[in-house]
Amino acid sequence: MSSIAKLPQGTRLGGSLNTAKMRQTAFPGLDPVQPAVEQLATAGVEKRGAVFTRPEVVEFILDLTGYTADEPLHIKRLLEPSFGDGDFLLVAVERLLKAYRAQAPKDSAPVEDLQDCIRAVELHRETFRQTRRKMVILLNSFHLSEGEVKALLRAWLIQGDFLLESLSFCFSHIVGNRPYVRQELIPNALLAEYRRRFVTLFDRADLYIPFIEKSLEHLEPGGTIGFICSDRWMKNRYGGALRELISEKFHLKYYVDMVDTPAFHTDVTAYPAITVITREKPTATRLAHRPTIDREELTKLAHKMRGQAEVLNGDIKEVLGIVRGGEPWILESFDQLSIVRRLEAGFPTLKEARCKVGIGVATGADKVFVGPFDALDIETDRKLPLVMTKDIRSGNLKWHGQGVINPFRDDGILVDLNDYPRLSDYLRRHEAVIRKRHVAKRNSGSWYRTIDRIYPELTTVPKLLIPDIKGEPTIVYQDGHFYPTITYTISRPMNGI
């Protein structure tokens, strides 16, 4: 067995001290974090962000990371931070046992040899139990004794919050599908604890961001992380700190765009991508886009991506300079990267040019707050004409007549519904839906606010409209008259905007 990669002394780790458990021991009944963890441990599928990966994709990711049965996996260490139904865990353990059976000496001791080969964490209690039962069946199929099965599962499986758990060593491989949980669904006490521990969790970052941060911190030198999740953090503001962390200490080795592919068991609109990151000196990144979800085809693709440069073909590109500090990663139009770098060197940034970039308005209940402008039966000064992605899809502005309700006065305070009887009647008819939003539950007195404040003066300001982030952007100049619900840029920021 190889020696376990210990954590460097003094290293700051998100889970290096299980502070929540320490507080609970010192002050029983007073710790607000533990009840919040318990709330998520018993939550439904939507609240815990469970999305399940197809087996062909799991095999592909394990192949890309080099966790294959022809390797001496019994001297490796694999971490699965959120194992769910066991999509990754079961396949990884099966590969481990096959490799061990083929390579272990005759006098092998499975528990002693394998007990540190796997660490797998799952918060949801019932899911943990169900997957553990699957693991028992799998280990029994390799003719391990009942005692060996229990001992290995006791060492391998952890029921708890990965972001709070203490892990005693680093890993050669870390794989999985991080949970898709928005900040609004995390109890306040737990979110505050996460923010205290993880520098990458800021702005509107989803929970998978600190999952990646902690995984990186537990990666041993030369180790490999392979995961599938939304690619938004690679471009958006909230991913800047994580991108900078990767730029300083890691190498983006492989990137596979999985948008519009059936990578999961259910349809999701998460812009998925497979990302493989290593703790080694950065070189070129190999890129592939939207492969066919077929086991044989994905096996071939993994072999080519891991192979020598001369075997690369048109399906795989090698690109230098994708990762640079906290800057967004240019992954779709990578053939134009050199042009972008020249533009960056010769022209000021938007901030330096005193431009403002916004993302439009989030309401939390668009079916209520957004609708045909003329049909919104409320006072005229409580609604604004709204420009949406479909209005500029052709490259020119063609308004489809939508509007948005503005529940705010010009000073940012919510209007008094007694002063607006038609608005009050409209909102009361939809009150049940509006109150289900997290922003309404958090402050019942302002239940009818939109998530974002609305600035009516933005309607009349000239702006560039940019619908989302994609490979072929459509940018339209709009000289006023409409409130944006998509990304926009204005040249002279106004007070408060």
Side-chain angles (χ1 to χ4, degrees):
M1 293 291 291
S2 65
S3 61
I4 297 173
K6 299 291 185 181
L7 301 179
Q9 188 174 3
T11 299
R12 186 195 70 79
L13 288 179
S16 59
L17 289 177
N18 197 329
T19 309
K21 291 183 179 179
M22 291 172 62
R23 282 201 305 260
Q24 186 183 37
T25 302
F27 306 103
L30 298 180
D31 175 25
V33 174
Q34 245 357 76
V37 173
E38 181 64 22
Q39 180 180 334
L40 292 181
T42 56
V45 171
E46 182 177 349
K47 286 190 176 181
R48 58 190 171 93
V51 178
F52 305 111
T53 314
R54 289 190 177 277
E56 305 95 315
V57 177
V58 171
E59 301 267 7
F60 178 55
I61 294 174
L62 289 171
D63 288 348
L64 280 179
T65 64
Y67 198 83
T68 54
D70 58 346
E71 294 289 327
L73 301 183
H74 60 289
I75 62 172
K76 306 293 184 181
R77 306 284 183 264
L78 180 137
L79 170 66
E80 221 287 45
S82 180
F83 63 74
D85 282 358
D87 293 337
F88 282 86
L89 178 61
L90 292 166
V91 178
V93 169
E94 183 174 10
R95 291 186 176 198
L96 167 63
L97 294 176
K98 286 181 178 179
Y100 180 68
R101 188 164 60 181
Q103 302 170 26
K106 293 183 179 180
D107 58 348
S108 59
V111 174
E112 180 182 346
D113 293 342
L114 302 178
Q115 61 184 348
D116 289 328
C117 290
I118 300 287
R119 288 294 182 271
V121 186
E122 172 57 40
L123 174 57
H124 192 253
R125 189 168 288 107
E126 182 55 33
T127 300
F128 178 91
R129 296 191 189 104
Q130 292 174 1
T131 302
R132 188 185 185 282
R133 288 193 285 268
K134 296 178 185 178
M135 288 283 287
V136 170
I137 295 172
L138 175 61
L139 295 184
N140 285 338
S141 71
F142 281 84
H143 307 294
L144 296 174
S145 70
E146 182 179 353
E148 290 170 333
V149 170
K150 288 182 178 179
L152 287 175
L153 295 185
R154 189 162 51 246
W156 288 353
L157 306 185
I158 301 170
Q159 193 276 309
D161 186 336
F162 172 68
L163 297 180
L164 303 180
E165 285 294 328
S166 177
L167 301 171
S168 58
F169 49 79
C170 291
F171 298 85
S172 60
H173 297 79
I174 304 176
V175 297
N177 178 2
R178 276 61 178 157
Y180 297 76
V181 182
R182 295 181 62 84
Q183 288 187 26
E184 292 82 1
L185 298 178
I186 304 172
N188 289 336
L190 188 56
L191 182 59
E193 181 66 21
Y194 290 160
R195 288 188 183 280
R196 189 188 69 78
R197 291 168 177 252
F198 300 103
V199 297
T200 59
L201 184 60
F202 76 102
D203 200 46
R204 293 185 176 183
D206 288 348
L207 196 61
Y208 64 79
I209 295 295
F211 262 74
I212 298 173
E213 178 186 344
K214 184 171 181 179
S215 296
L216 290 170
E217 290 173 334
H218 282 86
L219 191 64
E220 66 181 32
T224 304
I225 290 179
F227 56 87
I228 181 170
C229 73
S230 170
D231 68 359
R232 298 297 86 179
W233 67 274
M234 304 175 191
K235 304 173 177 66
N236 289 348
R237 177 176 179 270
Y238 66 67
L242 182 56
R243 293 193 297 270
E244 188 165 2
L245 173 65
I246 294 170
S247 176
E248 291 174 353
K249 300 179 181 180
F250 301 91
H251 168 43
L252 175 61
K253 192 166 188 175
Y254 307 128
Y255 168 86
V256 184
D257 172 21
M258 301 295 284
V259 174
D260 294 331
T261 68
F264 306 106
H265 287 293
T266 55
D267 292 333
V268 296
T269 54
Y271 304 99
I274 292 171
T275 309
V276 175
I277 298 170
T278 59
R279 188 186 282 271
E280 58 187 1
K281 184 178 180 180
T283 56
T285 299
R286 293 188 176 182
L287 310 173
H289 287 265
R290 306 184 183 186
T292 301
I293 305 303
D294 172 82
R295 179 173 275 103
E296 184 176 348
E297 291 299 319
L298 290 175
T299 299
K300 291 179 181 177
L301 179 59
H303 179 74
K304 289 178 181 178
M305 293 192 76
R306 296 183 64 206
Q308 299 299 317
E310 57 266 21
V311 305
L312 299 183
N313 55 28
D315 296 331
I316 302 170
K317 303 292 185 182
E318 269 197 345
V319 183
L320 286 166
I322 289 176
V323 179
R324 196 168 76 170
E327 296 179 10
W329 294 353
I330 299 176
L331 295 158
E332 292 86 359
S333 304
F334 46 81
D335 53 335
Q336 301 169 12
L337 186 58
S338 60
I339 299 175
V340 172
R341 295 303 185 215
R342 290 209 310 271
L343 292 173
E344 290 174 340
F347 294 90
T349 64
L350 289 173
K351 182 178 180 180
E352 292 167 344
R354 297 186 64 249
C355 290
K356 165 72 178 182
V357 178
I359 59 171
V361 59
T363 70
D366 282 356
K367 290 183 179 180
V368 175
F369 288 96
V370 176
F373 183 84
D374 294 334
L376 288 172
D377 187 17
I378 60 176
E379 286 78 8
T380 302
D381 63 338
R382 290 300 98 209
K383 57 184 178 180
L384 298 167
L386 192 68
V387 61
M388 307 178 74
T389 299
K390 64 181 179 181
D391 298 326
I392 63 171
R393 190 167 288 141
S394 66
N396 297 293
L397 178 61
K398 183 179 180 181
W399 186 47
H400 286 72
Q402 294 295 99
V404 62
I405 294 173
N406 177 20
F408 296 95
R409 301 185 331 202
D410 290 348
D411 59 6
I413 298 175
L414 285 172
V415 299
D416 187 337
L417 293 182
N418 292 324
D419 297 334
Y420 293 91
R422 289 166 62 194
L423 174 63
S424 178
D425 288 345
Y426 178 88
L427 294 175
R428 296 292 181 188
R429 291 199 302 271
H430 301 281
E431 184 171 355
V433 173
I434 298 174
R435 285 189 179 274
K436 288 181 180 179
R437 302 172 305 151
H438 178 76
V439 69
K441 293 177 181 178
R442 189 171 54 193
N443 191 338
S444 60
S446 58
W447 61 272
Y448 54 95
R449 66 162 291 148
T450 51
I451 293 176
D452 296 330
R453 177 186 164 185
I454 292 177
Y455 298 85
E457 58 267 39
L458 184 57
T459 305
T460 59
V461 176
K463 44 196 164 285
L464 292 178
L465 302 172
I466 310 166
D468 207 347
I469 300 174
K470 51 187 180 179
E472 299 294 333
T474 300
I475 302 175
V476 173
Y477 173 76
Q478 196 263 317
D479 59 1
H481 310 298
F482 298 100
Y483 199 86
T485 188
I486 51 182
T487 304
Y488 65 89
T489 299
I490 57 178
S491 60
R492 294 183 301 278
M494 299 174 291
N495 292 334
I497 298 182

